[in-house]
Amino acid sequence: MFSMVKRFSIFNRNTLSLFSQRIYFDRTRSLSDVSTIYNEELEQKEEITQNDNQKDVITPALYAFAARMHLDFSDPKILLQAVTHKSFTDTNLPSNKSFKELGNCAIQLFLTEYFHIKYPLLHTNYLKDVVEVYNGRSTLATLGHEIGLNYVVRWNKSTDVFSTPENDGQSESTDTNESQVAYKSRKVTYTIGRVVAQAVQAIVGALYLDKGPNSAQTFVHDHLLSREFAIQKLYDVKEPKRHLSALMKRLEREQPISRHLYIPYIVRLLHEAGRKTKEPIFVIGTYSGTEKLAEGFGSSIKMAEHRAAKNALLNHYFKEIKDFTLPSTIDTYQKQMSYIPTKVGDTPAKI
Amino acid sequence: MLTKPLITIAKNGVGAFVFSCRKIEFNYCERSGSSRGMIEYLQNHLIPFAKENPQLEVVVTPRPSKHPLITGTYLNRKQKQVCVRNKKPDAIAEIVKLIRDNTGVTAKKRFKKPVISTTESIRGIWSPFHTRPHSI
């Protein structure tokens, strides 16, 4: 459901006119049927509050949510604002956009700091990818649904951005730069996942403002960083043997095998079974001198070498530091004096 | 690339514990005899219970000509319903505690898959190439 936006973008401008806006709207409507049962109850509650002429009433669900997440703001309206999407116009409160921007930056700071110190040798591309996984729309939407935020957010499914008269009798221009779409009326639709993800970021932003950065950091560590993700999944190199050679050269671990010939690493066949049969299996180890860097299996020797090199690179670049102090937790003089920084990591080897 | 986006898996309790039960709904009938215990529970025991558990949303709805019912709604969108007809308030209090302390996981799943874990095994999956060689 979250690849909906990407699916839309592969249609080019010419085919866009063939698809009516209604089809897109209906599709998003069916995908956002996650909480339609409760949304009807919410609409009924909204009708009642409108009849009472009270706009920003804190629902019991919101009180329960605040107690469940141990959120203790100085003013309960702050949480109500953090949970109000910009599409929800029937309110006197501002939307959660400013909270969301601040929260997004705060989350990225805490996540980047944590992963950079924990994995000092990691390439920055993977560092950014990991932060994107933990702070991405899909993860935050899943988190929001798991904590019951989708029953509490205030939002509308669609808002009219601008409605201008449609130009039916215009000739179709072959120049795709001249977009006819901009002149037609456009409805912006939102999905519950996107709204919930923004609400999570807004809550972090509201915590940052109202209770301070330490409180926001505790929230991020408790709810975002406690979640599990196998960071090795991200690693994807096309030529691991080449990268391993470059790495060994950079670490100056090339082994001399004759007077002028140095090799970066040695490959040895450790185990094998079923050679010349339908399902052979080979286990190969990469060695630097007598030290084994890693081993890899495969149904062919080349595949086993590939996996062994890849595992050797993983063992090096994804090395974890266990004991570290996060610099953002230093807020007293004592902590500053007793702060022991971790060693700055080397840059990855270039091929 | 139209691939499924990577997400992190929740581990409730590792960082902070998020209470599973989000709403308890009480249904009763004003006139029927089977709701007598329920009505007494609602009058005397419910409000202290709701105050002790601020993370729960408590809803009381009359449901005429039906047996009294307690419905717990959980964060995994499952529900547990218990009919408390002809029960005393003490028994109802115990049942409410049971519903509150439950996660939404169905009983069948808890018996079929009692262990919920992200790691395959603690000591690693057996491999014929990494056993000690047999010696007589």
Side-chain angles (χ1 to χ4, degrees), chain A residues 41 61 64 67-68 133-134 138-139 146-148 151 222-223 226-229 234 271 281 283 295, chain B residues 2 5-11 14-16 18-19 22-23 54-57 75 77 118 129-130:
Chain A
E41 291 175 24
R68 202 181 312 133
V133 167
Y134 274 82
S138 344
T139 298
E146 280 165 9
I147 59 178
Y151 302 107
D222 282 349
H223 294 107
S226 66
R227 295 169 77 89
E228 189 174 298
F229 177 69
L234 292 170
H271 305 278
I281 183 164
V283 178
E295 64 178 40
Chain B
L2 301 174
L6 294 169
I7 59 167
T8 54
I9 308 293
K11 295 209 133 183
V14 171
V18 180
F19 209 80
R22 69 172 182 90
K23 182 162 90 160
Q55 76 278 6
L56 295 177
E57 194 186 337
L75 289 176
R77 290 184 281 150
T118 47
F129 301 116
H130 299 97

mmCIF file of all heavy atoms in Angstrom, chain A residues 41 61 64 67-68 133-134 138-139 146-148 151 222-223 226-229 234 271 281 283 295, chain B residues 2 5-11 14-16 18-19 22-23 54-57 75 77 118 129-130:
data_model
loop_
_atom_site.group_PDB
_atom_site.id
_atom_site.type_symbol
_atom_site.label_atom_id
_atom_site.label_comp_id
_atom_site.label_asym_id
_atom_site.label_seq_id
_atom_site.Cartn_x
_atom_site.Cartn_y
_atom_site.Cartn_z
ATOM 1 N N GLU A 41 -17.185 5.977 13.647
ATOM 2 C CA GLU A 41 -17.466 6.420 15.011
ATOM 3 C C GLU A 41 -16.917 7.795 15.241
ATOM 4 O O GLU A 41 -17.515 8.632 15.891
ATOM 5 C CB GLU A 41 -16.834 5.445 16.013
ATOM 6 C CG GLU A 41 -17.507 4.086 16.024
ATOM 7 C CD GLU A 41 -16.756 3.127 16.934
ATOM 8 O OE1 GLU A 41 -16.053 3.592 17.840
ATOM 9 O OE2 GLU A 41 -16.879 1.929 16.722
ATOM 10 N N ALA A 61 -10.146 8.705 23.757
ATOM 11 C CA ALA A 61 -9.091 7.927 23.103
ATOM 12 C C ALA A 61 -7.757 8.633 23.196
ATOM 13 O O ALA A 61 -6.704 8.003 23.362
ATOM 14 C CB ALA A 61 -9.466 7.677 21.645
ATOM 15 N N ALA A 64 -6.389 8.301 26.706
ATOM 16 C CA ALA A 64 -5.846 6.950 26.873
ATOM 17 C C ALA A 64 -4.523 6.797 26.154
ATOM 18 O O ALA A 64 -3.584 6.172 26.666
ATOM 19 C CB ALA A 64 -6.855 5.918 26.340
ATOM 20 N N ALA A 67 -1.749 8.424 28.151
ATOM 21 C CA ALA A 67 -1.350 7.622 29.308
ATOM 22 C C ALA A 67 -0.584 6.380 28.867
ATOM 23 O O ALA A 67 0.361 5.963 29.528
ATOM 24 C CB ALA A 67 -2.587 7.206 30.098
ATOM 25 N N ARG A 68 -0.967 5.806 27.737
ATOM 26 C CA ARG A 68 -0.300 4.600 27.250
ATOM 27 C C ARG A 68 1.142 4.884 26.867
ATOM 28 O O ARG A 68 2.040 4.076 27.099
ATOM 29 C CB ARG A 68 -1.049 4.058 26.028
ATOM 30 C CG ARG A 68 -0.817 2.593 25.749
ATOM 31 C CD ARG A 68 -1.556 2.142 24.516
ATOM 32 N NE ARG A 68 -2.942 2.571 24.506
ATOM 33 C CZ ARG A 68 -3.565 3.136 23.482
ATOM 34 N NH1 ARG A 68 -2.932 3.356 22.364
ATOM 35 N NH2 ARG A 68 -4.824 3.496 23.569
ATOM 36 N N VAL A 133 15.325 3.853 6.943
ATOM 37 C CA VAL A 133 14.466 2.723 7.306
ATOM 38 C C VAL A 133 13.783 2.985 8.643
ATOM 39 O O VAL A 133 12.584 2.759 8.810
ATOM 40 C CB VAL A 133 15.288 1.416 7.369
ATOM 41 C CG1 VAL A 133 14.499 0.310 8.034
ATOM 42 C CG2 VAL A 133 15.684 0.976 5.980
ATOM 43 N N TYR A 134 14.534 3.481 9.618
ATOM 44 C CA TYR A 134 13.966 3.697 10.961
ATOM 45 C C TYR A 134 13.035 4.898 11.000
ATOM 46 O O TYR A 134 12.122 4.951 11.826
ATOM 47 C CB TYR A 134 15.094 3.881 11.979
ATOM 48 C CG TYR A 134 15.621 2.586 12.537
ATOM 49 C CD1 TYR A 134 16.561 1.836 11.852
ATOM 50 C CD2 TYR A 134 15.186 2.111 13.759
ATOM 51 C CE1 TYR A 134 17.051 0.657 12.364
ATOM 52 C CE2 TYR A 134 15.664 0.939 14.288
ATOM 53 C CZ TYR A 134 16.600 0.204 13.585
ATOM 54 O OH TYR A 134 17.078 -0.968 14.095
ATOM 55 N N SER A 138 6.956 4.148 5.999
ATOM 56 C CA SER A 138 6.349 2.836 6.259
ATOM 57 C C SER A 138 6.545 2.412 7.710
ATOM 58 O O SER A 138 5.618 1.932 8.360
ATOM 59 C CB SER A 138 6.955 1.784 5.342
ATOM 60 O OG SER A 138 7.630 2.375 4.297
ATOM 61 N N THR A 139 7.800 2.591 8.193
ATOM 62 C CA THR A 139 8.066 2.171 9.577
ATOM 63 C C THR A 139 7.246 2.980 10.568
ATOM 64 O O THR A 139 6.645 2.424 11.493
ATOM 65 C CB THR A 139 9.557 2.331 9.907
ATOM 66 O OG1 THR A 139 10.311 1.495 9.062
ATOM 67 C CG2 THR A 139 9.837 1.984 11.336
ATOM 68 N N GLU A 146 0.609 0.357 15.552
ATOM 69 C CA GLU A 146 0.815 -0.566 16.678
ATOM 70 C C GLU A 146 0.599 0.095 18.028
ATOM 71 O O GLU A 146 0.403 -0.600 19.027
ATOM 72 C CB GLU A 146 2.217 -1.177 16.609
ATOM 73 C CG GLU A 146 2.309 -2.312 15.619
ATOM 74 C CD GLU A 146 3.747 -2.670 15.298
ATOM 75 O OE1 GLU A 146 4.649 -2.148 15.964
ATOM 76 O OE2 GLU A 146 3.952 -3.484 14.376
ATOM 77 N N ILE A 147 0.687 1.433 18.083
ATOM 78 C CA ILE A 147 0.438 2.109 19.358
ATOM 79 C C ILE A 147 -0.957 2.711 19.413
ATOM 80 O O ILE A 147 -1.326 3.322 20.404
ATOM 81 C CB ILE A 147 1.493 3.202 19.650
ATOM 82 C CG1 ILE A 147 1.523 4.258 18.550
ATOM 83 C CG2 ILE A 147 2.858 2.584 19.826
ATOM 84 C CD1 ILE A 147 2.509 5.374 18.807
ATOM 85 N N GLY A 148 -1.737 2.534 18.369
ATOM 86 C CA GLY A 148 -3.114 3.026 18.394
ATOM 87 C C GLY A 148 -3.256 4.477 18.005
ATOM 88 O O GLY A 148 -4.230 5.126 18.359
ATOM 89 N N TYR A 151 -6.315 5.740 15.644
ATOM 90 C CA TYR A 151 -7.648 6.023 16.182
ATOM 91 C C TYR A 151 -7.740 7.414 16.776
ATOM 92 O O TYR A 151 -8.803 7.820 17.252
ATOM 93 C CB TYR A 151 -8.001 5.004 17.274
ATOM 94 C CG TYR A 151 -7.955 3.582 16.792
ATOM 95 C CD1 TYR A 151 -6.929 2.730 17.173
ATOM 96 C CD2 TYR A 151 -8.931 3.090 15.937
ATOM 97 C CE1 TYR A 151 -6.880 1.425 16.722
ATOM 98 C CE2 TYR A 151 -8.888 1.788 15.483
ATOM 99 C CZ TYR A 151 -7.852 0.957 15.871
ATOM 100 O OH TYR A 151 -7.794 -0.320 15.430
ATOM 101 N N ASP A 222 13.183 4.641 23.048
ATOM 102 C CA ASP A 222 12.235 3.655 23.560
ATOM 103 C C ASP A 222 11.384 3.049 22.450
ATOM 104 O O ASP A 222 11.105 1.851 22.467
ATOM 105 C CB ASP A 222 11.298 4.312 24.593
ATOM 106 C CG ASP A 222 11.978 4.472 25.928
ATOM 107 O OD1 ASP A 222 13.061 3.893 26.114
ATOM 108 O OD2 ASP A 222 11.427 5.183 26.782
ATOM 109 N N HIS A 223 10.931 3.877 21.511
ATOM 110 C CA HIS A 223 9.944 3.390 20.551
ATOM 111 C C HIS A 223 10.486 3.166 19.154
ATOM 112 O O HIS A 223 9.999 2.303 18.451
ATOM 113 C CB HIS A 223 8.762 4.370 20.486
ATOM 114 C CG HIS A 223 8.003 4.408 21.762
ATOM 115 N ND1 HIS A 223 8.059 5.469 22.637
ATOM 116 C CD2 HIS A 223 7.201 3.515 22.336
ATOM 117 C CE1 HIS A 223 7.307 5.216 23.681
ATOM 118 N NE2 HIS A 223 6.772 4.029 23.526
ATOM 119 N N SER A 226 14.253 0.748 19.707
ATOM 120 C CA SER A 226 14.092 -0.581 20.282
ATOM 121 C C SER A 226 13.619 -1.578 19.239
ATOM 122 O O SER A 226 13.690 -2.779 19.448
ATOM 123 C CB SER A 226 13.084 -0.534 21.435
ATOM 124 O OG SER A 226 11.804 -0.215 20.931
ATOM 125 N N ARG A 227 13.146 -1.094 18.101
ATOM 126 C CA ARG A 227 12.665 -1.980 17.052
ATOM 127 C C ARG A 227 13.836 -2.617 16.331
ATOM 128 O O ARG A 227 14.932 -2.084 16.287
ATOM 129 C CB ARG A 227 11.799 -1.188 16.076
ATOM 130 C CG ARG A 227 10.541 -0.658 16.711
ATOM 131 C CD ARG A 227 9.855 0.323 15.792
ATOM 132 N NE ARG A 227 9.139 -0.343 14.734
ATOM 133 C CZ ARG A 227 7.873 -0.735 14.827
ATOM 134 N NH1 ARG A 227 7.204 -0.541 15.920
ATOM 135 N NH2 ARG A 227 7.290 -1.329 13.806
ATOM 136 N N GLU A 228 13.573 -3.787 15.778
ATOM 137 C CA GLU A 228 14.666 -4.577 15.238
ATOM 138 C C GLU A 228 14.751 -4.433 13.723
ATOM 139 O O GLU A 228 13.734 -4.419 13.031
ATOM 140 C CB GLU A 228 14.452 -6.051 15.578
ATOM 141 C CG GLU A 228 15.650 -6.907 15.246
ATOM 142 C CD GLU A 228 15.473 -8.322 15.728
ATOM 143 O OE1 GLU A 228 15.345 -8.512 16.942
ATOM 144 O OE2 GLU A 228 15.449 -9.228 14.880
ATOM 145 N N PHE A 229 15.987 -4.364 13.249
ATOM 146 C CA PHE A 229 16.216 -4.361 11.805
ATOM 147 C C PHE A 229 17.601 -4.933 11.548
ATOM 148 O O PHE A 229 18.577 -4.486 12.163
ATOM 149 C CB PHE A 229 16.120 -2.927 11.248
ATOM 150 C CG PHE A 229 16.403 -2.847 9.790
ATOM 151 C CD1 PHE A 229 15.529 -3.379 8.869
ATOM 152 C CD2 PHE A 229 17.557 -2.241 9.319
ATOM 153 C CE1 PHE A 229 15.796 -3.316 7.518
ATOM 154 C CE2 PHE A 229 17.832 -2.171 7.980
ATOM 155 C CZ PHE A 229 16.943 -2.712 7.072
ATOM 156 N N LEU A 234 21.006 -4.442 4.152
ATOM 157 C CA LEU A 234 21.186 -3.325 3.232
ATOM 158 C C LEU A 234 22.408 -3.494 2.348
ATOM 159 O O LEU A 234 22.502 -2.885 1.295
ATOM 160 C CB LEU A 234 21.330 -2.021 4.027
ATOM 161 C CG LEU A 234 20.120 -1.517 4.782
ATOM 162 C CD1 LEU A 234 20.548 -0.375 5.665
ATOM 163 C CD2 LEU A 234 19.054 -1.065 3.837
ATOM 164 N N HIS A 271 35.503 -27.035 3.208
ATOM 165 C CA HIS A 271 34.728 -28.267 3.138
ATOM 166 C C HIS A 271 34.103 -28.348 1.759
ATOM 167 O O HIS A 271 33.841 -27.339 1.136
ATOM 168 C CB HIS A 271 33.590 -28.263 4.172
ATOM 169 C CG HIS A 271 34.044 -28.030 5.565
ATOM 170 N ND1 HIS A 271 34.557 -29.017 6.362
ATOM 171 C CD2 HIS A 271 34.030 -26.901 6.313
ATOM 172 C CE1 HIS A 271 34.846 -28.514 7.539
ATOM 173 N NE2 HIS A 271 34.548 -27.241 7.546
ATOM 174 N N ILE A 281 28.118 -28.667 -2.790
ATOM 175 C CA ILE A 281 28.227 -27.565 -1.839
ATOM 176 C C ILE A 281 29.685 -27.414 -1.454
ATOM 177 O O ILE A 281 30.375 -28.388 -1.188
ATOM 178 C CB ILE A 281 27.298 -27.790 -0.619
ATOM 179 C CG1 ILE A 281 27.374 -26.582 0.317
ATOM 180 C CG2 ILE A 281 27.621 -29.053 0.128
ATOM 181 C CD1 ILE A 281 26.253 -26.541 1.303
ATOM 182 N N VAL A 283 32.443 -24.942 0.860
ATOM 183 C CA VAL A 283 32.609 -23.921 1.893
ATOM 184 C C VAL A 283 34.034 -23.405 1.781
ATOM 185 O O VAL A 283 34.990 -24.169 1.884
ATOM 186 C CB VAL A 283 32.369 -24.491 3.315
ATOM 187 C CG1 VAL A 283 32.602 -23.410 4.355
ATOM 188 C CG2 VAL A 283 30.957 -25.032 3.428
ATOM 189 N N GLU A 295 33.939 -16.999 6.103
ATOM 190 C CA GLU A 295 33.729 -18.112 5.203
ATOM 191 C C GLU A 295 32.387 -17.949 4.499
ATOM 192 O O GLU A 295 31.509 -17.239 4.974
ATOM 193 C CB GLU A 295 33.804 -19.447 5.933
ATOM 194 C CG GLU A 295 32.723 -19.661 6.965
ATOM 195 C CD GLU A 295 32.844 -21.026 7.613
ATOM 196 O OE1 GLU A 295 33.971 -21.470 7.885
ATOM 197 O OE2 GLU A 295 31.809 -21.650 7.845
ATOM 198 N N LEU B 2 10.054 -1.016 -7.837
ATOM 199 C CA LEU B 2 8.817 -1.174 -7.070
ATOM 200 C C LEU B 2 8.991 -2.292 -6.063
ATOM 201 O O LEU B 2 8.397 -3.350 -6.165
ATOM 202 C CB LEU B 2 7.657 -1.492 -8.018
ATOM 203 C CG LEU B 2 7.401 -0.438 -9.079
ATOM 204 C CD1 LEU B 2 6.345 -0.899 -10.041
ATOM 205 C CD2 LEU B 2 6.967 0.867 -8.436
ATOM 206 N N PRO B 5 8.917 -1.552 0.787
ATOM 207 C CA PRO B 5 9.852 -0.787 1.616
ATOM 208 C C PRO B 5 10.244 -1.573 2.857
ATOM 209 O O PRO B 5 9.442 -2.288 3.437
ATOM 210 C CB PRO B 5 9.054 0.465 1.977
ATOM 211 C CG PRO B 5 7.641 0.086 1.827
ATOM 212 C CD PRO B 5 7.577 -0.945 0.761
ATOM 213 N N LEU B 6 11.518 -1.417 3.258
ATOM 214 C CA LEU B 6 12.007 -2.113 4.441
ATOM 215 C C LEU B 6 11.471 -1.438 5.679
ATOM 216 O O LEU B 6 11.459 -0.204 5.762
ATOM 217 C CB LEU B 6 13.542 -2.093 4.453
ATOM 218 C CG LEU B 6 14.230 -2.878 3.351
ATOM 219 C CD1 LEU B 6 15.707 -2.542 3.341
ATOM 220 C CD2 LEU B 6 14.045 -4.360 3.532
ATOM 221 N N ILE B 7 11.023 -2.253 6.641
ATOM 222 C CA ILE B 7 10.541 -1.673 7.898
ATOM 223 C C ILE B 7 11.200 -2.388 9.060
ATOM 224 O O ILE B 7 11.743 -3.474 8.922
ATOM 225 C CB ILE B 7 9.007 -1.777 8.042
ATOM 226 C CG1 ILE B 7 8.547 -3.241 7.983
ATOM 227 C CG2 ILE B 7 8.307 -0.955 7.010
ATOM 228 C CD1 ILE B 7 7.141 -3.437 8.420
ATOM 229 N N THR B 8 11.143 -1.734 10.219
ATOM 230 C CA THR B 8 11.674 -2.334 11.432
ATOM 231 C C THR B 8 10.564 -3.123 12.121
ATOM 232 O O THR B 8 9.389 -2.827 11.981
ATOM 233 C CB THR B 8 12.187 -1.245 12.377
ATOM 234 O OG1 THR B 8 11.144 -0.300 12.586
ATOM 235 C CG2 THR B 8 13.373 -0.525 11.778
ATOM 236 N N ILE B 9 10.975 -4.150 12.865
ATOM 237 C CA ILE B 9 10.004 -5.016 13.550
ATOM 238 C C ILE B 9 9.887 -4.572 14.995
ATOM 239 O O ILE B 9 10.889 -4.299 15.660
ATOM 240 C CB ILE B 9 10.476 -6.498 13.511
ATOM 241 C CG1 ILE B 9 10.811 -6.900 12.088
ATOM 242 C CG2 ILE B 9 9.425 -7.410 14.092
ATOM 243 C CD1 ILE B 9 9.652 -6.944 11.150
ATOM 244 N N ALA B 10 8.648 -4.535 15.495
ATOM 245 C CA ALA B 10 8.422 -4.060 16.860
ATOM 246 C C ALA B 10 8.890 -5.094 17.866
ATOM 247 O O ALA B 10 8.774 -6.304 17.644
ATOM 248 C CB ALA B 10 6.938 -3.780 17.070
ATOM 249 N N LYS B 11 9.416 -4.585 18.961
ATOM 250 C CA LYS B 11 9.789 -5.451 20.085
ATOM 251 C C LYS B 11 9.249 -4.787 21.344
ATOM 252 O O LYS B 11 9.950 -4.026 22.012
ATOM 253 C CB LYS B 11 11.302 -5.608 20.182
ATOM 254 C CG LYS B 11 11.900 -6.338 18.999
ATOM 255 C CD LYS B 11 13.149 -7.085 19.379
ATOM 256 C CE LYS B 11 13.102 -8.490 18.838
ATOM 257 N NZ LYS B 11 14.227 -9.314 19.199
ATOM 258 N N VAL B 14 11.164 -4.003 24.942
ATOM 259 C CA VAL B 14 12.631 -3.836 24.906
ATOM 260 C C VAL B 14 12.978 -2.397 25.292
ATOM 261 O O VAL B 14 13.839 -2.143 26.140
ATOM 262 C CB VAL B 14 13.175 -4.190 23.513
ATOM 263 C CG1 VAL B 14 14.627 -3.810 23.389
ATOM 264 C CG2 VAL B 14 13.003 -5.663 23.239
ATOM 265 N N GLY B 15 12.336 -1.444 24.638
ATOM 266 C CA GLY B 15 12.562 -0.046 24.993
ATOM 267 C C GLY B 15 11.549 0.414 26.005
ATOM 268 O O GLY B 15 11.844 0.617 27.171
ATOM 269 N N ALA B 16 10.332 0.564 25.556
ATOM 270 C CA ALA B 16 9.238 0.927 26.456
ATOM 271 C C ALA B 16 8.098 -0.059 26.215
ATOM 272 O O ALA B 16 7.954 -0.591 25.123
ATOM 273 C CB ALA B 16 8.759 2.343 26.178
ATOM 274 N N VAL B 18 4.290 -0.858 25.652
ATOM 275 C CA VAL B 18 3.034 -0.232 25.241
ATOM 276 C C VAL B 18 1.907 -1.185 25.615
ATOM 277 O O VAL B 18 1.890 -2.339 25.172
ATOM 278 C CB VAL B 18 3.018 0.032 23.717
ATOM 279 C CG1 VAL B 18 1.720 0.670 23.304
ATOM 280 C CG2 VAL B 18 4.187 0.929 23.336
ATOM 281 N N PHE B 19 0.972 -0.704 26.434
ATOM 282 C CA PHE B 19 -0.099 -1.547 26.932
ATOM 283 C C PHE B 19 -0.986 -1.995 25.780
ATOM 284 O O PHE B 19 -1.383 -1.194 24.948
ATOM 285 C CB PHE B 19 -0.914 -0.747 27.956
ATOM 286 C CG PHE B 19 -1.555 -1.610 28.991
ATOM 287 C CD1 PHE B 19 -0.830 -2.086 30.058
ATOM 288 C CD2 PHE B 19 -2.882 -1.959 28.881
ATOM 289 C CE1 PHE B 19 -1.422 -2.894 31.008
ATOM 290 C CE2 PHE B 19 -3.481 -2.767 29.817
ATOM 291 C CZ PHE B 19 -2.751 -3.243 30.881
ATOM 292 N N ARG B 22 -6.645 -1.361 24.555
ATOM 293 C CA ARG B 22 -6.858 0.083 24.435
ATOM 294 C C ARG B 22 -8.268 0.502 24.818
ATOM 295 O O ARG B 22 -8.496 1.656 25.141
ATOM 296 C CB ARG B 22 -6.514 0.548 23.014
ATOM 297 C CG ARG B 22 -7.457 0.079 21.958
ATOM 298 C CD ARG B 22 -7.132 0.753 20.629
ATOM 299 N NE ARG B 22 -8.081 0.331 19.629
ATOM 300 C CZ ARG B 22 -9.224 0.954 19.371
ATOM 301 N NH1 ARG B 22 -9.521 2.057 20.011
ATOM 302 N NH2 ARG B 22 -10.042 0.497 18.463
ATOM 303 N N LYS B 23 -9.221 -0.429 24.787
ATOM 304 C CA LYS B 23 -10.608 -0.025 25.104
ATOM 305 C C LYS B 23 -11.365 -1.202 25.693
ATOM 306 O O LYS B 23 -11.233 -2.333 25.221
ATOM 307 C CB LYS B 23 -11.292 0.455 23.818
ATOM 308 C CG LYS B 23 -12.709 0.950 24.033
ATOM 309 C CD LYS B 23 -13.166 1.799 22.872
ATOM 310 C CE LYS B 23 -13.825 0.987 21.812
ATOM 311 N NZ LYS B 23 -14.668 1.804 20.928
ATOM 312 N N PRO B 54 -5.450 4.593 33.501
ATOM 313 C CA PRO B 54 -5.736 5.702 32.587
ATOM 314 C C PRO B 54 -5.449 5.375 31.127
ATOM 315 O O PRO B 54 -5.920 6.075 30.239
ATOM 316 C CB PRO B 54 -4.809 6.816 33.081
ATOM 317 C CG PRO B 54 -3.697 6.115 33.754
ATOM 318 C CD PRO B 54 -4.275 4.882 34.348
ATOM 319 N N GLN B 55 -4.691 4.280 30.887
ATOM 320 C CA GLN B 55 -4.373 3.958 29.503
ATOM 321 C C GLN B 55 -5.533 3.266 28.802
ATOM 322 O O GLN B 55 -5.487 3.024 27.609
ATOM 323 C CB GLN B 55 -3.118 3.067 29.426
ATOM 324 C CG GLN B 55 -3.330 1.621 29.808
ATOM 325 C CD GLN B 55 -3.308 1.426 31.309
ATOM 326 O OE1 GLN B 55 -3.236 2.388 32.062
ATOM 327 N NE2 GLN B 55 -3.376 0.195 31.730
ATOM 328 N N LEU B 56 -6.576 2.907 29.562
ATOM 329 C CA LEU B 56 -7.739 2.255 28.956
ATOM 330 C C LEU B 56 -8.815 3.275 28.659
ATOM 331 O O LEU B 56 -9.053 4.186 29.436
ATOM 332 C CB LEU B 56 -8.338 1.213 29.905
ATOM 333 C CG LEU B 56 -7.523 0.000 30.276
ATOM 334 C CD1 LEU B 56 -8.306 -0.805 31.268
ATOM 335 C CD2 LEU B 56 -7.222 -0.826 29.065
ATOM 336 N N GLU B 57 -9.482 3.079 27.526
ATOM 337 C CA GLU B 57 -10.673 3.864 27.225
ATOM 338 C C GLU B 57 -11.872 3.037 27.666
ATOM 339 O O GLU B 57 -12.066 1.921 27.186
ATOM 340 C CB GLU B 57 -10.723 4.125 25.714
ATOM 341 C CG GLU B 57 -11.679 5.172 25.274
ATOM 342 C CD GLU B 57 -11.750 5.250 23.749
ATOM 343 O OE1 GLU B 57 -10.776 4.830 23.094
ATOM 344 O OE2 GLU B 57 -12.779 5.688 23.245
ATOM 345 N N LEU B 75 -4.641 -3.566 20.536
ATOM 346 C CA LEU B 75 -3.915 -2.808 19.528
ATOM 347 C C LEU B 75 -3.651 -3.602 18.263
ATOM 348 O O LEU B 75 -3.273 -3.027 17.252
ATOM 349 C CB LEU B 75 -2.573 -2.313 20.092
ATOM 350 C CG LEU B 75 -2.687 -1.204 21.123
ATOM 351 C CD1 LEU B 75 -1.324 -0.866 21.661
ATOM 352 C CD2 LEU B 75 -3.314 0.024 20.515
ATOM 353 N N ARG B 77 -6.010 -5.010 16.746
ATOM 354 C CA ARG B 77 -7.348 -4.923 16.137
ATOM 355 C C ARG B 77 -8.206 -6.151 16.407
ATOM 356 O O ARG B 77 -9.200 -6.371 15.733
ATOM 357 C CB ARG B 77 -7.261 -4.661 14.631
ATOM 358 C CG ARG B 77 -6.763 -3.275 14.322
ATOM 359 C CD ARG B 77 -6.787 -3.001 12.850
ATOM 360 N NE ARG B 77 -5.646 -3.601 12.182
ATOM 361 C CZ ARG B 77 -5.662 -4.024 10.922
ATOM 362 N NH1 ARG B 77 -6.750 -3.936 10.209
ATOM 363 N NH2 ARG B 77 -4.582 -4.530 10.394
ATOM 364 N N THR B 118 12.251 -13.286 16.742
ATOM 365 C CA THR B 118 12.803 -12.905 15.452
ATOM 366 C C THR B 118 14.069 -13.690 15.128
ATOM 367 O O THR B 118 14.464 -13.767 13.980
ATOM 368 C CB THR B 118 13.130 -11.409 15.417
ATOM 369 O OG1 THR B 118 13.833 -11.066 16.597
ATOM 370 C CG2 THR B 118 11.877 -10.576 15.314
ATOM 371 N N PHE B 129 29.105 -29.301 8.145
ATOM 372 C CA PHE B 129 30.499 -28.912 7.949
ATOM 373 C C PHE B 129 31.122 -28.317 9.199
ATOM 374 O O PHE B 129 32.319 -28.079 9.245
ATOM 375 C CB PHE B 129 30.590 -27.878 6.817
ATOM 376 C CG PHE B 129 30.051 -28.386 5.522
ATOM 377 C CD1 PHE B 129 28.942 -27.792 4.944
ATOM 378 C CD2 PHE B 129 30.631 -29.473 4.888
ATOM 379 C CE1 PHE B 129 28.434 -28.263 3.755
ATOM 380 C CE2 PHE B 129 30.118 -29.950 3.705
ATOM 381 C CZ PHE B 129 29.028 -29.344 3.128
ATOM 382 N N HIS B 130 30.319 -28.022 10.185
ATOM 383 C CA HIS B 130 30.847 -27.362 11.372
ATOM 384 C C HIS B 130 30.684 -28.200 12.629
ATOM 385 O O HIS B 130 30.660 -27.691 13.729
ATOM 386 C CB HIS B 130 30.176 -26.005 11.557
ATOM 387 C CG HIS B 130 30.414 -25.089 10.400
ATOM 388 N ND1 HIS B 130 29.517 -24.942 9.380
ATOM 389 C CD2 HIS B 130 31.475 -24.320 10.092
ATOM 390 C CE1 HIS B 130 30.001 -24.109 8.482
ATOM 391 N NE2 HIS B 130 31.189 -23.713 8.889
#
